[in-house]
Amino acid sequence: MSHKAVQAAFKQLKEKTNPYLNPEEKSKLREAVHYGAYAHEKQIRKSGEPYITHPITVATVLAELRVDIDTLIAGVLHDTIEDTDVSHADISKYFNTDVAYLVEAVTKLDKLKFRNLKEAQAETFVKMLFAMADDIRVIIIKLSDRLHNMRTIAAMSASGQRRISRETLDVYAPIAERMGLKKIQHELEDHAFKALHPNQYKHIIDACQKIAGNRQKAVDKIRKNIKKALLESGMHVDVSGRQKSPYSTYKKLKSKQVEIDEIHDLFGVRIVVRELNQCYLALGIIHNLYPPNENGFKDYIAVPKQNGYQSLHSVVTGPFGMKLEVQIRTEEMDQMSEAGVAAHWLYKHKDAQQTRSLTNARSWLNSLLNLQKDSGSSLEFYENFKGDLGVDEIYVFTPKGDIVQLPSKSSVLDFAFAIHTSVGSHAESATVNGNPATLSQVLDTGDLVSIKTAQGLTVTAEWLRVVVTSKARTAIRKELKDIKDEDALILGHRMLDRALDTFGYSFEKLDQRSIKRVLKHYQLDSMNELLKAFAFGELLPSIAARKLMPLMKQRKLNKDYQPKEALTIDGTEGSILSYPNCCLPLPGDDITGYLSPTKGVVIHRSGCINLTDTLKNAPERKVFCSWSVNTNGNFKTSLEVDVVNRTGVLASLAAAIANEDVNIVTIDQTDRDTGFSLLVFTVEVTSAKHAQVLMDQLQSHREVLNVKRVYHERNN
């Protein structure tokens, strides 16, 4: 404690805590600092200072948020379990179990080790999610810890700076934003931005200083005029100038594709009033002084941001046509905008145990827990959710007038899933502002959206290209997986039945002892997993069928496997079967399957060269197949059409295809010799016979020279 740097750090901590801690709490904090200094006595930071300066500074950051005494002590001791001989039991004994829990929770986040950076970010985020859900103070400590590390990041290697800065921008700054910790968010972003892009950081700083020199007098004049007008109206106000942070400026330059002097909210005026109704009175007075810009007003008081942020924003035009943003809020809103969830402690003396920020944060955390539970992995969850972080929001309305907040560029389908997963899953059509709309239509703030649902509808993989929210993406992926698993179970059962029948046995005759033996052999937990493994091409049903029969019967079997019956394909198998582009088989074609270890059962035309080449190396994966007498659904095929290149020929042929009740998937055109073209239509038909009828119809057109089905001999 005698080191000058330690004494200076402790002095700052006392200056921040003295105004709000009572004498007993000050004494406890002092004990914690001495306890931590002794524990870290022999440790030195990379910057050369005694290590204890770091946890003391972390506690100082926490003190600026006016957190409770247990959180402050945990901030001072947050590295003791990780880096010293101090244990959870020691902290419980000398302080209390609450402090010990917080220190251990932060330690668990620090101890995570991963194979790569992406996995590390994903797992760290998930671990923080669960820790935050249990006690929000854990993430406040972790963010304060990260903030001081970013302030001293210059002591790290260049590669370390890039890695830590990238993680800060991807994970910690967005979490700080969602927690409403605006000051911490902006400082984290700016330190990371400076480390990752030092030249761009310097350019923005220099440009802002230059612009500030030109605009400062005008901004000061506007600020003084506004303050004078508000004071004359009888309001007690605080009017201050504000400047956009470097990283926020950088993001706006990239998203808007504008020059820095075109950013209207680079500089602005912030007005803090005492009462809610004064916000709107002040807005009217300001608009009388300076005309507002069209589409430049946002009411975040009536419709707060998801992190609880409230304020009125209005872009006005000042002297010399200069545009700037005015923000108006109450004192409590101003504190909330800086302290976020920490305002829970800041306002506890007013019995505000549930601030808007804390309520929203907990609601957000609960929704994340549900998303994580439905995701296939932490990485999938993180990659899905990352798209929602740090983006602008839009506000749309339900038919009942309820407000739904969504990320910008959200579609009608995102809205449907935001209402409820079942609404999204069964969405059939929609109206936006009373007009018919597609499910892929992008929404804007103020839109009134109504969704029509229908039973029997299921999600499709195409929907993943339409949605942008993590909730919608996760729900669609989960349902697609459920559908695929169900298809796989049915197909796997048919494949095993067929294999057993070849050996004169049946599924009904299988005994539990044989089933358990085979499951143990393949290291599977259930019969369902075994059946799905057949359909997914992971196991061969012919081999498993042998193993499932009684040992005495196995010994009498012929080693050659030749199924009695072909696997019948009727088109109801769903996503578990695939039809490759090399030959695009249709009902009526002679077909053979290949049991792919990555794609499941792949159905080829029997004469396909790709199939022949594949089976040379794995003949045991051949699946004898045939079409059912009655097939269901549509199948893709490609038709090559040689035409005389005359005006309107493409439209004429497309109309002819539509008249045959055939859907066109794609059209490609290649010009050949002068006056001739090759058109390739990829269409959906019910069978080879249906395709032939369509080909005959096309051939009858006078511009058509030749029509044939495409059989690519090699995969593209």
Side-chain angles (χ1 to χ4, degrees):
M1 290 295 294
S2 60
H3 195 284
K4 287 184 179 180
V6 178
Q7 290 179 346
F10 189 33
K11 181 181 179 182
Q12 281 191 316
L13 176 60
K14 288 190 290 186
E15 287 174 355
K16 295 294 182 182
T17 55
N18 280 341
Y20 79 96
L21 292 185
N22 62 42
E24 183 183 352
E25 290 172 334
K26 291 176 186 176
S27 176
K28 285 181 180 178
L29 183 59
R30 187 163 50 250
E31 287 177 22
V33 171
H34 283 279
Y35 186 91
Y38 180 77
H40 291 291
E41 189 175 15
K42 298 178 181 179
Q43 295 174 322
I44 303 294
R45 297 199 85 208
K46 288 184 179 179
S47 58
E49 297 177 332
Y51 192 86
I52 189 60
T53 57
H54 166 63
I56 291 175
T57 307
V58 169
T60 304
V61 174
L62 291 166
E64 291 174 359
L65 299 172
R66 295 200 169 196
V67 298
D68 65 312
I69 183 62
D70 284 346
T71 310
L72 287 172
I73 294 173
V76 172
L77 304 178
H78 78 271
D79 277 332
T80 52
I81 294 179
E82 169 79 9
D83 295 332
T84 74
D85 294 332
V86 172
S87 67
H88 178 280
D90 294 333
I91 298 176
S92 294
K93 178 182 176 182
Y94 286 102
F95 299 97
N96 60 53
T97 55
D98 221 20
V99 172
Y101 165 77
L102 291 172
V103 174
E104 188 172 58
V106 175
T107 302
K108 284 179 180 177
L109 297 182
D110 291 330
K111 281 187 174 180
L112 298 170
K113 305 295 179 188
F114 308 100
R115 291 189 296 271
N116 55 60
L117 180 58
K118 275 193 173 182
E119 184 184 298
Q121 290 176 335
E123 289 292 345
T124 299
F125 186 82
V126 172
K127 294 290 184 185
M128 279 194 290
L129 168 61
F130 281 99
M132 284 154 47
D134 203 32
D135 193 322
I136 207 80
R137 293 177 295 178
V138 174
I139 192 57
I140 298 177
I141 296 169
K142 187 60 187 173
L143 288 170
S144 302
D145 173 41
R146 176 53 63 108
L147 178 57
H148 186 237
N149 284 333
M150 292 304 297
R151 287 175 179 173
T152 56
I153 196 172
M156 297 187 68
S157 65
S159 62
Q161 288 188 44
R162 287 192 296 271
R163 177 178 60 82
I164 296 296
S165 296
R166 187 73 266 161
E167 184 183 60
T168 297
L169 288 179
D170 284 349
V171 181
Y172 291 98
I175 289 177
E177 181 182 24
R178 281 299 180 123
M179 296 292 102
L181 301 169
K182 194 173 182 182
K183 185 177 179 182
I184 289 178
Q185 172 208 344
H186 285 159
E187 192 176 346
L188 285 172
E189 289 174 339
D190 289 342
H191 285 304
F193 175 42
K194 184 179 181 181
L196 285 170
H197 306 290
N199 293 334
Q200 293 183 51
Y201 177 85
K202 185 177 186 304
H203 168 71
I204 287 175
I205 292 293
D206 292 345
C208 287
Q209 286 177 347
K210 184 178 179 180
I211 294 170
N214 297 332
R215 295 186 187 177
Q216 194 62 54
K217 288 184 179 180
V219 173
D220 284 343
K221 183 177 180 180
I222 292 172
R223 183 176 59 81
K224 288 175 182 177
N225 286 346
I226 288 174
K227 187 169 185 177
K228 180 182 177 183
L230 294 177
L231 288 173
E232 287 176 352
S233 71
M235 292 188 210
H236 293 277
V237 297
D238 177 53
V239 183
S240 59
R242 49 158 292 277
Q243 181 176 333
K244 204 171 188 66
S245 71
Y247 184 66
S248 295
T249 304
Y250 170 72
K251 284 199 300 182
K252 192 148 221 176
L253 289 173
K254 284 188 69 177
S255 65
K256 300 293 185 183
Q257 295 292 303
V258 295
E259 296 298 322
I260 194 166
D261 56 2
E262 296 177 70
I263 299 177
H264 62 72
D265 59 346
L266 190 62
F267 301 96
V269 175
R270 180 169 296 154
I271 299 155
V272 180
V273 298
R274 291 188 175 180
E275 298 174 6
L276 174 61
N277 66 323
Q278 291 178 338
C279 292
Y280 295 95
L281 290 172
L283 181 70
I285 292 169
I286 292 164
H287 283 179
N288 279 331
L289 283 174
Y290 304 109
N293 280 36
E294 187 179 358
N295 301 322
F297 174 67
K298 293 179 181 177
D299 188 346
Y300 292 120
I301 294 178
V303 186
K305 289 190 175 184
Q306 288 185 341
N307 60 13
Y309 174 86
Q310 289 184 288
S311 185
L312 297 179
H313 290 194
S314 182
V315 178
V316 299
T317 303
F320 312 109
M322 187 183 76
K323 293 181 174 60
L324 82 162
E325 185 180 72
V326 177
Q327 298 177 355
I328 310 169
R329 62 186 67 154
T330 65
E331 292 173 354
E332 186 167 334
M333 290 173 193
D334 192 50
Q335 290 285 2
M336 295 280 189
S337 74
E338 301 300 321
V341 293
H344 169 62
W345 292 282
L346 189 63
Y347 280 93
K348 65 180 179 179
H349 62 280
K350 298 180 182 178
D351 294 324
Q353 294 300 307
Q354 287 289 341
T355 65
R356 182 185 292 273
S357 290
L358 188 61
T359 301
N360 288 346
R362 284 178 172 158
S363 174
W364 176 64
L365 289 170
N366 287 333
S367 69
L368 288 192
L369 288 171
N370 290 330
L371 282 178
Q372 198 275 335
K373 182 176 64 177
D374 290 339
S375 297
S377 66
S378 295
L379 187 58
E380 178 189 327
F381 163 70
Y382 175 66
E383 290 299 324
N384 274 345
F385 182 73
K386 196 165 63 171
D388 286 359
L389 293 172
V391 298
D392 292 334
E393 296 164 343
I394 60 171
Y395 306 88
V396 296
F397 296 89
T398 70
K400 292 182 178 179
D402 296 327
I403 297 171
V404 178
Q405 294 178 330
L406 294 166
S408 62
K409 299 182 181 178
S410 290
S411 66
V412 169
L413 203 50
D414 286 301
F415 171 86
F417 277 101
I419 298 300
H420 197 278
T421 301
S422 63
V423 175
S425 298
H426 297 95
E428 181 182 45
S429 60
T431 59
V432 176
N433 303 322
N435 300 313
T438 64
L439 296 179
S440 60
Q441 181 171 317
V442 176
L443 298 173
D444 291 317
T445 289
D447 284 343
L448 174 64
V449 188
S450 177
I451 303 293
K452 181 183 177 183
T453 60
Q455 293 302 314
L457 292 178
T458 57
V459 302
T460 69
E462 290 297 315
W463 283 10
L464 290 171
R465 299 180 183 180
V466 172
V467 298
V468 300
T469 59
S470 56
K471 181 176 182 180
R473 295 184 69 83
T474 301
I476 292 168
R477 282 202 170 119
K478 181 177 184 295
E479 192 150 335
L480 285 172
K481 182 180 182 299
D482 290 343
I483 293 170
K484 193 166 187 176
D485 282 353
E486 186 177 341
D487 291 340
L489 276 174
I490 295 169
L491 182 61
H493 201 302
R494 286 166 55 191
M495 293 169 75
L496 181 58
D497 272 340
R498 177 171 159 271
L500 289 169
D501 182 59
T502 301
F503 299 128
Y505 215 66
S506 68
F507 191 86
E508 289 73 22
K509 292 181 181 179
L510 296 178
D511 63 87
Q512 288 301 313
R513 179 181 293 182
S514 298
I515 291 173
K516 286 181 180 179
R517 184 181 70 248
V518 171
L519 292 178
K520 184 178 181 181
H521 173 78
Y522 288 120
Q523 296 182 330
L524 298 173
D525 294 328
S526 68
M527 193 63 181
N528 281 355
E529 286 189 21
L530 181 65
L531 296 176
K532 286 191 286 185
F534 298 148
F536 289 134
E538 297 163 0
L539 296 175
L540 298 179
S542 57
I543 295 175
R546 289 176 181 270
K547 296 181 181 296
L548 280 165
M549 289 187 293
L551 296 175
M552 290 297 293
K553 190 167 181 62
Q554 287 184 39
R555 296 190 185 103
K556 299 177 183 179
L557 293 176
N558 190 328
K559 290 186 178 180
D560 293 330
Y561 173 76
Q562 186 72 26
K564 291 180 182 178
E565 296 179 1
L567 182 66
T568 304
I569 309 300
D570 62 14
T572 64
E573 293 79 12
S575 57
I576 200 62
L577 283 188
S578 59
Y579 305 92
N581 290 329
C582 55
C583 56
L584 292 173
L586 296 176
D589 291 335
D590 188 18
I591 56 173
T592 300
Y594 169 68
L595 201 52
S596 166
T598 56
K599 298 179 182 177
V601 181
V602 183
I603 307 298
H604 289 263
R605 287 172 53 249
S606 295
C608 178
I609 292 181
N610 283 341
L611 174 67
T612 304
D613 289 349
T614 302
L615 290 177
K616 281 180 183 177
N617 299 320
E620 73 281 359
R621 288 187 170 272
K622 182 176 182 179
V623 182
F624 293 92
C625 298
S626 66
W627 293 106
S628 170
V629 175
N630 296 309
T631 55
N632 295 278
N634 293 315
F635 301 82
K636 283 199 301 184
T637 192
S638 288
L639 305 179
E640 284 187 352
V641 187
D642 284 301
V643 298
V644 178
N645 196 355
R646 290 177 182 161
T647 303
V649 64
L650 178 58
S652 174
L653 295 181
I657 293 172
N659 287 337
E660 292 296 323
D661 199 23
V662 172
N663 179 47
I664 299 174
V665 180
T666 61
I667 302 175
D668 290 315
Q669 180 172 351
T670 305
D671 291 334
R672 289 185 167 174
D673 298 332
T674 305
F676 298 94
S677 291
L678 173 66
L679 302 177
V680 180
F681 294 93
T682 301
V683 296
E684 292 179 330
V685 293
T686 57
S687 65
K689 186 177 179 180
H690 187 192
Q692 188 60 53
V693 170
L694 177 61
M695 292 165 66
D696 292 342
Q697 180 62 34
L698 293 175
Q699 188 71 64
S700 67
H701 284 247
R702 64 179 183 175
E703 296 92 350
V704 174
L705 304 175
N706 186 45
V707 183
K708 66 177 181 179
R709 274 179 67 190
V710 179
Y711 298 113
H712 296 301
E713 300 297 347
R714 296 288 177 187
N715 279 315
N716 292 328

